[in-house]
Amino acid sequence: MKKRTLRLVAAIGLALGTFSAWAASDAEVTRATLDNGLRVVIVRDTLAPVVTTEMNYLAGSDEVPAGFPGTAHAVEHMMFRGSPGLSKDQLAAIAANMGGAFNADATQGVTQYYFVAPAQDLDVALKVQALRMRGVDMDQKEWDKERGAISQEVSRDLSSPDFKFYSQMLAQMFSGTPYAHTPLGTRDSFDQTNAAMLKAFHDTWYAPNNAILVIAGDVDPTATLAKVKQEFAGIAKKTLPARPAFDFKPVAAKTVQLPTDSPYGSVYLGYRLPGLKSKDYATALVLGQALGSQRAALAGMRFDGTALFGGFVGQSMPHAGLGLAVGIFPKGGNPQPVLTKMQAILADAAAKGIDPALVEAAKHKAVSDLEFKKNSVDGLANAWSHALAFQGADSPDAIKAAIEAVTPAAVNALAKQTFDPKHAITAILTPESSGKPVAGKGFGGAESFSSTPDKPVELPTWAQAAFAKLAVPKSSLDPVSYTLPNGLRLIVQPETISDTVELYGSIKTNQDLQAGKGEEGVSEVLAGLFPFGTEHLDRIQFQQALDAIGAHESAGTSFSLAVPAAHFAEGVKLLADHELHPALPAQAFSLVQKQTAGMVAGQLQSPDFLYQLGLGKALLPANDPSLRHATPQNVMALTLDKVKQYYGATFRPDLATIVIVGKVDPAQAKQVIEQAFGNWKSTGPKPDTDYAAVPANQPGKLHVPDASAVQDSVDMAQTIAVTYDDPARYAIHLGNQVLGGGFYASRLTRDLREKHGLVYTVGVSLDTDKHRGTYKVFYGSDPDKVGAASALVVQNLKQMQDAPVTDTELRQAKGILLRRMPLGESSFGAIGSQLLELAQQGKPLDAMTIAGRHYLSLTAPEVQAAFKKYVRPEGLVTAVKGPAPKG
């Protein structure tokens, strides 16, 4: 299931006043506690006709039996296998028909089940949540099947060196407590787990008096609460067992050294911090953000040449947390100077404290980030679930108040207490080569299963009515579009859900087509120079200016800004200065050039790069420009003048689009953008940045060794003669929903996961460009299962060609795509990304509605015909990264 894995003190004090209290008004938040103990919070959010329901059970891996660390995780999986009155097939069909996100997450102290769906489907979501609280089917045969899938998930995570380190760090840092293991579980313990054990866990902990239901979206609170009572009031409360105790012992210092398949090495220094429910949690949050500031010493390692990157990250659990200082070094580099510098920085923090200006900036950022969460329906629900279920607070506003109360003295005291080298866990992950790619043989077609689509699923009566009618949803967007005299496209979508504005921008560039011969890597060097500030403000001054207005900003060919509405004009002015007048200093160029060359040297030997390059060579002509890539020699041959020339040629307003979403008037936005970007000029003719069409590829097999992986990552891909303007794309997208949409309701998931336990997840994609496309099926599996899984993929593709999809499948696929449309408008980020992509592809801004009409009118024979014409099951290139496939 899903993995959920800073300027002047006075100026910040002023800016803190720009936000109103985080908590919504009484009219927007409805709270209730049912007689059976179920706590309910309903937050009205009218951003889009979408609703998120999050059922938070206050039990996770903390409450599992000794020796069975993954029990809560396994129960989470089995909750998708059906309940009394709702079979697994019905559950899968309902989730698919709703078209949104339907998933779960098992953590240490909370297991969360959520829907993100059209608001019209709230009744169905609540019904499903209630049925699953009442009971769950724990058939041993079903568990035997699901064990195969969850084992694949374990293999996937164990293939990550970072996860291996994380697991060892937890064991050392939290020894003797439930936090000593991850919620994931182990293959050995799952082999000893039976369905009765899982049912006992569910029946013990899944109770209304041990749950918090958060509902956020475009709903009527009074009517919604009545529906909640109707579905949940009859579920009896339970007597809950005692919860485990947490007796944390002092952390004993330890050093872990591991190989990694990454193109760079990592140095970590880990420390235990206060947890979410601690009175010192807000202090720990501010401490971490201050240390992670771009103005702080850890980030400074990137700018003085000590490391490729430096920072500080953290993870908080209810009873404890952990903080990690991070340093990145190039493949072949010496990690010791990075480690020594990190140790000195944290020792200095412990001895001398943190700069008060960074503390105040961190507080401001933390409070600002709470306001930005309002810009997403599911983000709003997450904020309330996190506050109530994970932190035990009354609301996100309580967290805001705690953050604002943090003092520099409290931060310094915690730093002194925490950063003791006698209690640090050190890890060094060193990149190692795994070997060169080899031609694959003997996998992909050795085994075949007789598999046909399941019979149509008859939905429960209460669900049939909800999905009886298919219609193209009415878009909630009404964007205003302008083209400035210099060719810059500006699109504005006003929203009033929060006092913020978010800007998304892109310049349509393509290094493969625009860089001179031998200048591969020039765009990477240019990107590495942007963080050094502007011609008017050095990097520290620039970050101070952003911190003063509580803004987030990034510059480059893709650029962005998130800023309080009151400081919109100031934020845009800073962004434009950065985008149009980057400093590009000579001293920084020499440093970035060496850093980039080091990164490239490691990348060329990394399994991920070799995998993608090998797949590209198998699919494309030998001279295709997309196969160009940087080498250390290319990078070191660059000059600052060449970088500046590339910047001047590629950063053009007539290839740029800006989308603005938030609390701003379109005319005001246009005026601000014109003032900031109006003098930007293009020189020379507009370049062509789109790859040319390519012929169909030949079939093939490729294996790239990855010594750190225990599971294989598999891509089965081919070129396809479908572009982003080709009408055939609608039929292919619709057919892909039959194959891979709707989780358990899709053909590939049923065959590869549910029936045969060969994979954990499987997906299918159609990636289109202006003149070319790529069709791909991808999954992860154990090496001895690759052949069987690949054979089933080919068989499923052939079935799409040999016979029309069923009426039930066609209707379900249409429902997925149509009901997914409102979700694309349920956050500022989704709105911005959608409008930006449409504009850069030259499509009308209502293209999603147009697509919906196409989906609605398509027939099963038309889908079949498209798969017959464009998809080539025998023309796939099967690429495998990991251990050599067997069988």
Side-chain angles (χ1 to χ4, degrees), residues 517-521 593 629-639:
K517 185 177 180 180
E519 295 180 7
E520 294 85 356
Q593 183 181 41
H629 61 82
T631 67
Q633 294 77 20
N634 292 146
V635 173
M636 292 307 298
L638 291 170
T639 65

Side-chain angles (χ1 to χ4, degrees), residues 213-250:
L213 174 60
V214 174
I215 302 170
D218 190 10
V219 299
D220 177 270
T222 302
T224 298
L225 181 57
K227 293 173 184 177
V228 170
K229 291 179 178 178
Q230 179 182 337
E231 297 296 342
F232 291 91
I235 305 175
K237 65 173 61 178
K238 297 177 182 178
T239 301
L240 301 173
R243 298 186 184 274
F246 286 82
D247 183 15
F248 296 111
K249 305 294 193 299

Side-chain angles (χ1 to χ4, degrees), residues 302 305 308 330 518-529 532 585-601 630-643:
R302 171 185 180 182
L308 299 176
E519 295 180 7
E520 294 85 356
V522 63
S523 68
E524 287 86 348
V525 174
L526 175 59
L529 287 169
F532 285 84
Q587 184 177 359
F589 168 74
S590 178
L591 173 63
V592 171
Q593 183 181 41
K594 292 176 182 177
Q595 290 176 332
T596 305
M599 283 289 288
V600 168
T631 67
Q633 294 77 20
N634 292 146
V635 173
M636 292 307 298
L638 291 170
T639 65
L640 181 56
D641 283 342
K642 288 183 178 178
V643 174

Side-chain angles (χ1 to χ4, degrees), residues 157-169 258-262 264-268 324 326 328 429 708:
D157 286 354
L158 290 178
S159 295
S160 165
D162 289 309
F163 181 81
K164 293 176 186 176
F165 156 62
Y166 175 70
S167 299
Q168 293 185 37
M169 179 175 62
L258 291 170
T260 179
D261 58 355
S262 296
Y264 52 81
S266 306
V267 178
Y268 296 105
L324 285 173
V326 184
I328 304 298
L429 276 60
S708 67

